[in-house]
Amino acid sequence: MTTIENVSHTRELAGKRALVTGGSRGIGAAVVRQLLDAGAEVLTTARSAANTIPDGATFVTADVRTQAGAQALAAAAHDVLGGVDILVHNAGGARPHASASAIPDAEWQDALDLNLLASVRLDSLLVPGMRERRSGAIVHVSSAAVPTAAPQFLHYVAAKAALQTYSRGLALDLASAGIRVNTVSPGKTATPGGEETRELWARMDATLSDTVTATSTTPLGRDGRPGDIADAVLFLVSDRASWLTGTNLFVDGGEFPRG
């Protein structure tokens, strides 16, 4: 008789060194917690000091929107961890505007720097070490809202769309070196940053108030939790996803169109 053995994934990342950007709250903090629980050594960062970092992680302040900030963070990762096996780009965001034409040029540039170029710059600094070790896992956090191209967030979703394309191309480029690159695209998730953005959007356009602040618009009947996204990230950086690269995993309760 064949028996099915329950497989525990506890400590499955023991010995791995992970860097998580934007790890001070919300999805980023949940990712840090999941990686720690799985046995990884974790360094995380945000633009300002935080006291909400999960116990066991190392925190440094860094502004990943600039080349200098990316270089400083890469140097800190080398000093603290001695190298990076897992890289999770979670830092991102933008504020809504009344229309696409109302988005200032400076905010377009900031959206690109934070939501696209931060990943490009940090990847380029840390991938060489992964190449030497012939292994590595990179996850870019995008957005399930990209296909909607909401005018009020066009700078944000355009940058995230570019991040998805970049991720697919990087995955192809690094596959032969044993490095996997995947994207996670969260839907409406209950986080401090998400709630602040939705409240600002609702105040700016009263006609959108009900839909923006609705308890849930997902087929599964609830908003996401930070842990839902962190679960997806943990899977993608683990050996359980060893044959996955170049994929974009929607974690949105079925809310947004795929395409």
Side-chain angles (χ1 to χ4, degrees):
M1 182 176 67
T2 302
T3 59
I4 299 174
E5 211 174 287
N6 288 328
V7 178
S8 172
H9 300 297
T10 303
R11 312 296 292 177
E12 64 183 320
L13 299 182
K16 299 292 186 181
R17 302 161 297 180
L19 172 60
V20 180
T21 66
S24 62
R25 61 179 187 168
I27 291 171
V31 170
V32 170
R33 192 174 300 108
Q34 287 275 35
L35 297 182
L36 287 169
D37 288 347
E41 183 180 3
V42 182
L43 172 67
T44 189
T45 183
R47 277 179 279 176
S48 57
N51 56 10
T52 57
I53 303 301
D55 291 342
T58 301
F59 177 81
V60 296
T61 56
D63 187 350
V64 296
R65 295 174 300 178
T66 68
Q67 180 68 34
Q71 290 172 336
L73 181 56
H78 182 270
D79 292 342
V80 173
L81 301 175
V84 172
D85 305 299
I86 296 167
L87 180 55
V88 181
H89 293 280
N90 173 68
R95 69 188 186 102
H97 288 269
S99 66
S101 60
I103 302 170
D105 182 77
E107 290 193 35
W108 270 100
Q109 186 60 60
D110 189 68
L112 289 168
D113 281 330
L114 180 57
N115 297 288
L116 171 64
L117 296 177
S119 295
V120 174
R121 291 163 178 155
L122 199 54
D123 289 346
S124 69
L125 291 164
L126 295 176
V127 159
M130 294 181 178
R131 281 188 183 275
E132 289 179 9
R133 294 184 294 277
R134 303 288 300 173
S135 69
I138 299 172
V139 172
H140 299 131
V141 178
S142 181
S143 172
V146 164
T148 68
Q152 297 87 352
F153 279 103
L154 194 56
H155 51 334
Y156 174 75
V157 295
K160 290 298 192 183
L163 180 65
Q164 292 176 12
T165 300
Y166 161 71
S167 299
R168 287 194 296 271
L170 187 65
L172 293 175
D173 188 47
L174 299 180
S176 62
I179 303 167
R180 298 184 298 104
V181 183
N182 291 290
T183 307
V184 168
S185 290
K188 185 179 179 184
T189 308
T191 66
E195 294 304 319
E196 291 164 7
T197 299
R198 285 188 283 273
E199 288 173 7
L200 176 60
W201 193 359
R203 289 198 303 270
M204 188 173 57
D205 188 344
T207 64
L208 295 171
S209 181
D210 290 342
T211 56
V212 171
T213 60
T215 301
S216 179
T217 56
T218 72
L220 287 182
R222 68 169 176 84
D223 290 350
R225 306 180 185 101
D228 294 323
I229 316 305
D231 283 338
V233 172
L234 176 61
F235 168 68
L236 288 174
V237 302
S238 74
D239 288 344
R240 289 175 282 150
S242 62
W243 210 48
L244 280 179
T245 195
T247 190
N248 180 20
L249 180 57
F250 278 71
V251 188
D252 66 346
E255 179 179 8
F256 289 99
R258 309 299 196 257

